[in-house]
Amino acid sequence: MFATLGTRRFFNKLQPFLCSSVSSCSWFSRIIINHVHSFAQSKQRRSVRQGNRPVSKSTRSIQKQDVDLPKVFMRDTITRISHILRFSSWDSAQEQLMGLSIKWDSYTVNQVLKTHPPMEKAWLFFNWASKLKGFKHDHFTYTTMLDIFGEAGRISSMNYIYKQMQDKGIKIDAVTYTSLLHWLSNHGDIDGSIKLWQEMKDKGCFPNVVSYTAYMKVLFDHNRVKEGAKIYKEMLQSGCSPNCHTYTVLMEHLAGSGKFDRVLEIFSKMQDAGVQPDKAACNILVEKCCKAGETQTMMKILHYMKEKFLVLRYSVYQEALLKLKIAGVSDRLLRDVNRHLSLEKFNHDQIDRSYGTAETTCLTLDDKMILYLLKKQSLFAVDYLLDSLMSKRLKLDSGIVSTIVEVNCNRGRVNGAFLAFEFSVKLGITIERIMYLMLVGELIRTNSLSRVVDIVEAVVGAGLSLGSELTALLIHRLGCTREPTSAEKLFSILPDQQKSTAVYTALINTYFTCGNAEKGLEIFETMRKRGINMALSTYCVLLNGLERNGLFDKVQSYRKEKKKFKSESCTTDMSNEETVCDLLFAGNLVV
């Protein structure tokens, strides 16, 4: 008994601290008008329950049920009331409402109004509730009703509610004023909005960050730029910190004025201040960039969105896709950011292109089935069908196979892309060069280079080339992963005309990295015998390799060769091959 009483006293002492932690939520000033009132009301309801807590042990279990169950019960009840208002006539709705065994308070009524029932039903319900015994509307319910009229464009009805609040002495706070001036401005009454703002300040009602942000937008939308800037300065001086919505309003105005340098400046500074641009802000800015044809700013915002895993709305994505196409700018980044939408592009562009190129070759039933599955985004079904066709050695059109590779790569389905590649190799189908490059890119990104030799072999077999820079990079990466056999095989596949200075240097570096110094020296001498141009970075790779492998007796002679080469190269222009090699192996450039 004494232990139970002591525990109760301990929780009674702890309760004020728990309440204070709720009331000091840092996000209070960041949420929209309706949520501000909902939070305040829910806090009031909790404080009433805590004050009336039963004392006896037998009733404490009942109290626990009252706390746990209402969370589900009230949500379901509010949904039920909303459905009654939506789908029943008012006469029928009244009977059903009276039959509900609930306590009608302002919180419940306000939550029902926030579900946005039809405006007429909302008004009838508002008046019906005011006649209930023991019920009285407060500034929460009045503000929500006022907001419903404002959103519906019933400004006279909104003003009527506001007049009732004044006549009845109902508290009018910053949230109410913010809602009023927003809807007045939205329907063209900028003077009425300015008058309300001044009235709010004259009555000692201090604006919060939501009020400041809403009023700034009102002024900017009506070309009152100087006044809007003045309000922003006033907000900072009052101690209100701008939130994401505030910065979004500023950037939206600057973007509309064509000042995209300032937009990027604010975009960066808000992050420095610890405020991260959200999905809504990025969508607004990308849309503004589309209207102004500003692709550079759009790309920087898309980079941020990719880092933060934010996506565009479908309409904005489509508009951005069109603008990038008109400007001749690659849309790869846009599709990377919106992978869930990128397949739509292939459905309309790539797949339709496959139809166009295959019209003259008469598509088979299998070709048409693959195209149908791609349009339906049924990529697992495409995998299954490809596997079945491969086992039966039935060919597909090369354009369709290229499309399968491209769709899978852009959806991040590496296995699906390589299944299509394997299909093309086994059945002797040549796909487009860019598809081979996409496959190589996927291997580099996932650091799984085991299949790279097969891709290079297919590219060379098709009479194509990956380019000396990419080939050298692949050999170098194979060396870093300690796979000299694969690097040597890749090198041997290449025709002599594709074995450039950078490719030889990459192979030399691979052997030295894997501890095979003799093979590295052999490749260097072969390079010299065949008259392949040397680069300064080639000598640097050689010297570093010899030193790492402890062959100091040979270092001195090659160091002299390097000095001679360096002095001679100062008087002649560097070839493109030497420049590429020096760029790829810049880390080995030591004097």
Side-chain angles (χ1 to χ4, degrees):
M1 174 179 176
F2 288 106
T4 305
L5 182 59
T7 303
R8 188 181 306 118
R9 286 177 178 172
F10 171 74
F11 280 109
N12 285 337
K13 290 180 180 180
L14 184 63
Q15 195 61 46
F17 295 98
L18 296 175
C19 290
S20 63
S21 67
V22 174
S23 62
S24 60
C25 287
S26 60
W27 49 266
F28 175 82
S29 62
R30 300 184 182 181
I31 52 182
I32 59 176
I33 294 170
N34 292 339
H35 289 181
V36 172
H37 274 168
S38 298
F39 173 76
Q41 277 193 300
S42 63
K43 188 174 70 172
Q44 286 182 357
R45 288 168 64 88
R46 285 198 297 272
S47 63
V48 171
R49 289 174 183 169
Q50 290 160 3
N52 295 331
R53 177 176 293 181
V55 177
S56 65
K57 182 177 179 180
S58 61
T59 56
R60 251 187 301 119
S61 60
I62 299 175
Q63 168 63 21
K64 183 177 180 181
Q65 292 178 356
D66 289 341
V67 173
D68 293 341
L69 295 179
K71 292 182 180 179
V72 177
F73 174 75
M74 285 307 301
R75 181 173 64 245
D76 293 340
T77 300
I78 289 168
T79 302
R80 182 182 175 187
I81 296 171
S82 178
H83 285 172
I84 291 172
L85 294 176
R86 289 176 186 276
F87 306 116
S88 303
S89 64
W90 177 241
D91 292 335
S92 175
Q94 278 184 290
E95 295 178 4
Q96 295 179 64
L97 292 174
M98 292 301 295
L100 296 175
S101 56
I102 63 171
K103 180 182 178 182
W104 292 97
D105 56 15
S106 64
Y107 175 82
T108 304
V109 172
N110 195 32
Q111 291 304 307
V112 172
L113 291 172
K114 284 180 182 295
T115 63
H116 285 271
M119 185 190 67
E120 293 81 2
K121 295 279 187 67
W123 177 235
L124 290 169
F125 174 72
F126 183 86
N127 286 297
W128 174 84
S130 65
K131 299 174 183 177
L132 293 172
K133 185 178 180 180
F135 178 83
K136 187 177 181 181
H137 283 297
D138 57 15
H139 70 288
F140 297 113
T141 55
Y142 268 105
T143 300
T144 304
M145 192 66 236
L146 176 149
D147 205 50
I148 290 172
F149 280 134
E151 186 177 10
R154 301 287 290 271
I155 302 303
S156 59
S157 300
M158 182 184 75
N159 289 331
Y160 173 76
I161 295 290
Y162 176 55
K163 183 70 167 54
Q164 276 196 337
M165 292 178 74
Q166 291 176 316
D167 294 342
K168 295 181 179 181
I170 304 294
K171 176 185 175 183
I172 301 175
D173 59 8
V175 180
T176 309
Y177 278 115
T178 302
S179 183
L180 282 166
L181 65 88
H182 168 74
W183 292 120
L184 285 175
S185 166
N186 208 40
H187 289 84
D189 189 4
I190 178 64
D191 294 329
S193 297
I194 294 173
K195 183 180 177 182
L196 274 173
W197 178 263
Q198 193 58 48
E199 179 184 321
M200 176 177 67
K201 297 176 71 176
D202 290 343
K203 291 189 176 181
C205 182
F206 297 105
N208 55 26
V209 65
V210 177
S211 305
Y212 277 117
T213 302
Y215 190 50
M216 282 168 52
K217 180 167 177 57
V218 165
L219 294 172
F220 285 142
D221 287 348
H222 288 82
N223 296 319
R224 307 264 184 128
V225 181
K226 291 184 178 179
E227 296 173 51
K230 183 179 178 182
I231 293 298
Y232 179 63
K233 291 178 181 177
E234 180 185 319
M235 182 186 74
L236 297 177
Q237 292 170 358
S238 69
C240 280
S241 299
N243 60 18
C244 182
H245 304 297
T246 312
Y247 286 117
T248 302
V249 168
L250 289 171
M251 292 187 292
E252 184 181 9
H253 164 69
L254 291 170
S257 303
K259 300 177 181 179
F260 287 96
D261 291 339
R262 294 289 307 280
V263 169
L264 291 176
E265 183 182 344
I266 294 177
F267 194 80
S268 176
K269 285 185 176 180
M270 68 184 288
Q271 295 176 64
D272 295 339
V275 181
Q276 299 299 321
D278 59 8
K279 177 182 174 181
C282 293
N283 272 268
I284 289 171
L285 293 178
V286 170
E287 191 171 16
K288 288 288 184 181
C289 289
C290 290
K291 290 179 180 178
E294 178 60 37
T295 57
Q296 291 184 353
T297 304
M298 186 195 301
M299 286 298 178
K300 291 182 180 179
I301 295 168
L302 289 174
H303 274 295
Y304 170 84
M305 294 182 74
K306 185 176 180 180
E307 291 174 3
K308 301 298 181 180
F309 302 101
L310 301 175
V311 296
L312 293 173
R313 298 193 310 273
Y314 181 74
S315 59
V316 180
Y317 170 78
Q318 289 288 83
E319 190 175 359
L321 206 60
L322 178 61
K323 291 297 179 182
L324 291 176
K325 183 177 180 180
I326 293 173
V329 179
S330 171
D331 59 3
R332 178 62 186 269
L333 178 59
L334 177 66
R335 290 189 281 115
D336 283 348
V337 172
N338 302 274
R339 285 183 177 270
H340 65 301
L341 298 175
S342 62
L343 191 57
E344 185 72 21
K345 174 179 173 61
F346 299 116
N347 287 345
H348 290 86
D349 295 342
Q350 302 299 331
I351 297 173
D352 287 345
R353 186 183 66 192
S354 296
Y355 267 123
T357 56
E359 279 177 355
T360 57
T361 61
C362 297
L363 289 176
T364 66
L365 182 61
D366 294 325
D367 292 328
K368 293 177 181 179
M369 179 61 72
I370 290 286
L371 289 172
Y372 174 78
L373 292 174
L374 286 174
K375 285 191 174 184
K376 292 294 184 181
Q377 304 184 21
S378 302
L379 299 184
F380 286 106
V382 172
D383 294 345
Y384 180 82
L385 186 54
L386 272 181
D387 190 58
S388 175
L389 292 173
M390 187 160 47
S391 63
K392 297 175 183 178
R393 301 195 64 80
L394 297 175
K395 288 189 176 184
L396 290 173
D397 181 79
S398 61
I400 292 175
V401 179
S402 296
T403 302
I404 297 171
V405 173
E406 188 170 5
V407 169
N408 277 285
C409 284
N410 283 280
R411 298 279 287 184
R413 299 184 74 252
V414 181
N415 291 334
F418 277 94
L419 177 62
F421 168 73
E422 184 182 352
F423 178 87
S424 69
V425 172
K426 285 191 175 182
L427 298 182
I429 299 170
T430 301
I431 59 176
E432 298 174 19
R433 178 178 179 272
I434 192 171
M435 302 310 157
Y436 293 116
L437 295 176
M438 291 183 76
L439 289 168
V440 171
E442 289 296 326
L443 291 178
I444 293 175
R445 275 191 289 274
T446 56
N447 201 30
S448 53
L449 301 173
S450 57
R451 305 176 183 175
V452 74
V453 176
D454 296 333
I455 296 176
V456 174
E457 190 171 9
V459 170
V460 174
L464 303 173
S465 170
L466 292 178
S468 62
E469 301 90 344
L470 180 56
T471 306
L473 178 62
L474 290 174
I475 294 174
H476 175 65
R477 291 290 292 272
L478 287 169
C480 293
T481 56
R482 307 281 176 173
E483 297 183 48
T485 305
S486 296
E488 185 177 8
K489 185 177 180 182
L490 194 157
F491 181 83
S492 65
I493 292 171
L494 298 173
D496 290 341
Q497 61 269 24
Q498 292 184 23
K499 295 177 180 178
S500 64
T501 304
V503 173
Y504 269 102
T505 304
L507 186 61
I508 293 169
N509 188 62
T510 295
Y511 282 125
F512 279 125
T513 301
C514 296
N516 193 344
E518 292 182 3
K519 196 69 176 176
L521 278 171
E522 181 185 334
I523 296 298
F524 178 79
E525 294 300 332
T526 302
M527 183 180 178
R528 182 151 49 185
K529 287 178 183 178
R530 293 188 177 181
I532 305 297
N533 292 332
M534 297 288 180
L536 183 60
S537 56
T538 307
Y539 280 103
C540 293
V541 166
L542 177 66
L543 291 171
N544 288 340
L546 291 172
E547 290 176 355
R548 288 200 309 269
N549 287 273
L551 300 177
F552 297 102
D553 55 326
K554 298 183 179 181
V555 169
Q556 197 60 34
S557 60
Y558 285 112
R559 196 182 295 276
K560 290 179 181 179
E561 283 188 30
K562 175 192 168 185
K563 287 182 179 180
K564 182 180 177 181
F565 175 83
K566 188 175 181 181
S567 61
E568 291 176 354
S569 62
C570 291
T571 59
T572 58
D573 294 333
M574 291 178 61
S575 65
N576 289 334
E577 288 187 9
E578 294 176 48
T579 304
V580 169
C581 188
D582 287 345
L583 289 172
L584 287 174
F585 298 96
N588 293 289
L589 289 175
V590 292
V591 180

